[in-house]
Amino acid sequence: MSVRYIESKKTFMLQTRNTTYQMKISDYGYLLHLYYGERMEDEDLSYLIQLQDRGFSPNPNEAGNDRTFSLDVLPQEFSSDGCCDYRLSSIEIKNGDGSYAFVGKFVKYAIYSGKYALEGLPSLRVTEQDTADTLEIWLEDKVSQLTVVLCYCVFEEKDIITRAAMVVNQSADTIYLNRLMSVTMDFMDSEYDFIHLDGRHTMERELSRSPLSYGIQTIGSFRGASSHQHNPFAVLCDRDANEDYGRCYGFSFVYSGNFVCKVEKDQYDQARIIMGIHPKHFSFQLKSGESFTAPEVVLAYSGKGLTHLSHMYHNAYRENLCRSPLAKEMRPILINSWEAAYFNFDEKKLLEIAEAAVSMGVEMFVLDDGWFGNRNSDNAALGDWVVNTEKLPGGLKGLSDKIHNMGLKFGIWIEPEMVSEDSELYRQHPDWCLQIPSRQPSRGRFQLVLDLSRADVRDYIVESISEVLDSAKIEYVKWDMNRFITDAWSSIAEKEKQGEIYHRYILGLYDIMERIILSRPQVLFCGCCGGGGRFDPGMLYYQPQIWCSDNTDAVCRLKIQYGTSFVYPISTIESHVSVCPNEQTGRYVPMKTRGVTAMDGILGYELDSTRMTDEEKQICKEQIKKYRSYYPLIAKGDYYRLTNPYSFSQYVAWEHVSKDKREALLSLVLTEKESNDAQQYVKAKGLIPDMRYQVDGLEGSFSGQLLMSAGIPVPSSLLQYEAVQYYIRAV
Ligand code: DGJ
């Protein structure tokens, strides 16, 4: 078993193929964190705990005259609140008597094979290829009679450990849970860099890296969605860690709403990281006997750099997270109508776009926003999921039939979570959206957010969207969400329960996705939130691909996709070739480069194909042909970031390598060109050193070692923003 309790030492030992995680029940029943990192067989790392008098840090009462037992210093698995530990706390409870204390002591544990269940929440699942064991540890506060259950699942071969937590109110009182972190991890040192993915609309998941400094560093979202601004992912790594070297700890939160991740460097140069649902405006009422479950955090440790860390997440998310059976299949290459026509289309125009794309080898036509109700701009009709027959006289069925007659599949756009004030739905049910009584709700893109905490609202969404999806042959659905939440107040919740609304919204979202998406395994769903504002593992559980960004500029995408690749598999990143000059930046990038960049994901097109020249169409046709042949490598291989676009400006390069290392695709975009430049070389990674490889376009054969150590000369004929791809295969 990968989980053991060693009674004589009072230690819990979790072991994956390459990592070890150890905890200990201390003298007074506190659960201490001893170690997470490189695998070791030693059963007892208790000697790491060294006690000494910590002056002004109080000691728990049961320590008596012993002033050396300080919870303010000891590494803990789940930090108490209101008792001696002034660092970040894992929990905050308002007890029935009004006090804020929670002091959890070990009471029991359970070990079993398989995985714990998190009802109503997405999480990794165990496949037939996995060996997975669960450890549950009960910590109880005997005074307030609250129990916290810490859940761990060890995915042995994947080198992944998942963590979640649950609170059960066993007291007779009603209590308020104001914070419950899904993970707390203490480190006895703090010489780490904090890496996270930040950004903004149209520039998501940019990589930030900074050393820990005294005090607290925070990322998070309070927008009701995981957000463009910060992604629920963080890494703590050695200061000198790079792609191939150094200890790296990954924390990825399987949740799509408000989240927080904080790292504290304390007075003794130790570090604590916590991650979980954002406690702001969060207050969950727990009556006697009720419980609350915090979502899962996926932990990974790499002792050999960031690339390996990414590979662990990619493998686990491809195989254990995405539930769609279509996730494992090649995705259809689509053309989307948004940047081609926006709201300005009729059936004739759409058919022309589709027709022109057929000759390029496109396989699916996707009708984006604007097909329903009075939706001629973004200020009306959300919620009225009835086809606009002025634009589409034959309805969705008529259009779908015609598209299918061209040999294409058909997909549509929906935005089920929203309502426009100018809609029949809002006129009939003004109380169905989130808004605070007596306050005018703020508007985002002229729309309001439906109250997904309400069962009747969820039922309406499921019924109306199901009717649409069943009205025609629809093989793909882009599920959008175009404003963040404010005014989080539900007209049916009691005032004591209004602090639950942000979380209940997400539970409601998961419920409607469960009902709409998982009951249609043959339909491919793509997540979207003004581009990549909700690109998180929670959404990937339901929707195996996500529109990465509204920014389709291939050069900007180099950074966006670079950041995204740190945790999310390439097979989840939807990426489109669009028109130039680019509509977001005005930049001109050759069609070939746009294709090479979009191939670093799920390739698609987003332009008016009727305006393309024959030459452009021919380039796209070749792109699509190549993409099809490279797809297994791109979607299932290991990903290598060959450059850091933030620190190296001449070119950006990346590589997909097959699992057996016999095949690779190396792609490069020249981002900076000067006259009479020095010769550049691009070095491959992940090949077998003594295997011989042929490189398409180059004479002869080369050892893997040579391609990785000396590299391939970057053609000096490449001009700024031009791209080159090398297909490498063993001979
Ligand atoms: C935002 C998305 O990111 C776009 O791709 C497009 O679908 C629009 N919404 C439609 O309103």
Side-chain angles (χ1 to χ4, degrees), residues 338 368-369 413 445 478 480 482 528 530-531 547 550 606:
W338 182 242
D368 209 281
D369 199 351
W413 175 99
R445 210 192 188 202
K478 178 175 172 187
D480 207 347
N482 282 307
C528 178
W547 178 226
D550 274 348
E606 177 132 1

Side-chain angles (χ1 to χ4, degrees), residues 201 204 228 336 338-339 342-343 367-370 372 375 377-378 382 413-415 445 447 478-482 527-533 547-552 576 606:
H201 178 224
E204 299 89 339
H228 306 89
N336 176 296
W338 182 242
E339 286 197 17
Y342 297 100
F343 294 106
L367 170 55
D368 209 281
D369 199 351
F372 53 92
R375 185 79 170 165
S377 72
D378 57 12
L382 288 171
W413 175 99
I414 55 173
E415 191 175 0
R445 210 192 188 202
Q447 61 199 55
K478 178 175 172 187
W479 182 307
D480 207 347
M481 192 257 193
N482 282 307
C528 178
C529 173
W547 178 226
C548 183
S549 177
D550 274 348
N551 186 344
T552 55
H576 294 173
E606 177 132 1

Side-chain angles (χ1 to χ4, degrees), residues 564-703:
T564 307
S565 78
F566 274 81
V567 57
Y568 302 110
I570 306 310
S571 58
T572 63
I573 302 172
E574 197 171 305
S575 193
H576 294 173
V577 170
S578 66
V579 76
C580 270
N582 180 271
E583 302 208 349
Q584 290 80 40
T585 62
R587 195 188 330 247
Y588 185 85
V589 175
M591 184 60 94
K592 177 175 174 189
T593 305
R594 286 178 257 163
V596 167
T597 308
M599 281 190 214
D600 191 22
I602 302 292
L603 172 71
Y605 292 82
E606 177 132 1
L607 36 65
D608 186 346
S609 45
T610 63
R611 294 170 164 224
M612 290 168 78
T613 63
D614 287 345
E615 193 196 350
E616 284 175 327
K617 281 191 192 157
Q618 187 56 32
I619 297 173
C620 294
K621 191 174 177 177
E622 280 156 27
Q623 258 161 28
I624 291 174
K625 203 167 147 217
K626 276 192 178 160
Y627 183 72
R628 281 208 192 96
S629 70
Y630 297 149
Y631 187 80
L633 255 181
I634 293 171
K636 296 178 182 159
D638 286 331
Y639 189 68
Y640 291 86
R641 295 171 288 268
L642 302 182
T643 54
N644 175 347
Y646 294 92
S647 62
F648 179 75
S649 60
Q650 273 96 344
Y651 62 81
V652 174
W654 62 94
E655 189 189 5
H656 307 271
V657 181
S658 64
K659 290 281 179 193
D660 65 6
K661 300 179 183 294
R662 296 183 61 85
E663 250 189 311
L665 177 68
L666 191 159
S667 306
L668 178 150
V669 175
L670 196 76
T671 42
E672 195 70 53
K673 177 78 177 177
E674 283 179 3
S675 181
N676 194 16
D677 269 347
Q679 177 63 52
Q680 302 286 330
Y681 299 86
V682 58
K683 292 172 185 150
K685 284 187 178 179
L687 304 178
I688 299 172
D690 53 8
M691 174 89 72
R692 292 210 70 79
Y693 294 90
Q694 272 180 351
V695 181
D696 266 12
L698 301 185
E699 293 280 309
S701 72
F702 310 87
S703 69

Side-chain angles (χ1 to χ4, degrees), residues 188-199:
M188 294 176 203
D189 55 354
S190 57
E191 278 302 299
Y192 298 107
D193 277 356
F194 183 32
I195 295 182
H196 37 98
L197 306 174
D198 310 324

Side-chain angles (χ1 to χ4, degrees), residues 322-475:
C322 298
R323 277 188 60 189
S324 167
L326 302 175
K328 291 207 161 63
E329 291 179 19
M330 175 152 180
R331 319 295 164 74
I333 293 158
L334 64 83
I335 185 156
N336 176 296
S337 68
W338 182 242
E339 286 197 17
Y342 297 100
F343 294 106
N344 187 16
F345 61 81
D346 55 18
E347 191 185 70
K348 183 169 168 286
K349 175 73 189 163
L350 299 178
L351 291 172
E352 282 167 5
I353 294 170
E355 183 72 57
V358 172
S359 62
M360 287 158 44
V362 161
E363 297 159 315
M364 180 158 72
F365 174 79
V366 175
L367 170 55
D368 209 281
D369 199 351
W371 58 264
F372 53 92
N374 178 30
R375 185 79 170 165
N376 297 314
S377 72
D378 57 12
N379 62 8
L382 288 171
D384 297 344
W385 298 109
V386 178
V387 72
N388 179 325
T389 45
E390 275 172 37
K391 290 181 184 174
L392 304 177
L396 286 175
K397 171 141 184 16
L399 177 63
S400 167
D401 288 349
K402 288 177 188 147
I403 295 288
H404 280 99
N405 285 340
M406 292 178 192
L408 297 178
K409 293 182 172 178
F410 178 63
I412 59 163
W413 175 99
I414 55 173
E415 191 175 0
E417 299 157 66
M418 299 290 152
V419 62
S420 307
E421 283 165 286
D422 181 5
S423 69
E424 286 313 309
L425 183 69
Y426 185 73
R427 282 185 274 276
Q428 279 170 28
H429 299 285
D431 58 328
W432 275 15
C433 62
L434 295 172
Q435 51 185 326
I436 302 173
S438 317
R439 284 184 196 276
Q440 293 301 322
S442 52
R443 295 192 181 104
R445 210 192 188 202
F446 308 105
Q447 61 199 55
L448 303 177
V449 184
L450 286 171
D451 178 1
L452 300 195
S453 74
R454 289 179 63 146
D456 51 356
V457 173
R458 297 201 299 274
D459 288 346
Y460 168 78
I461 294 174
V462 173
E463 277 158 33
S464 57
I465 295 295
S466 297
E467 209 170 301
V468 169
L469 300 186
D470 298 339
S471 70
K473 194 168 174 195
I474 294 169
E475 285 119 334

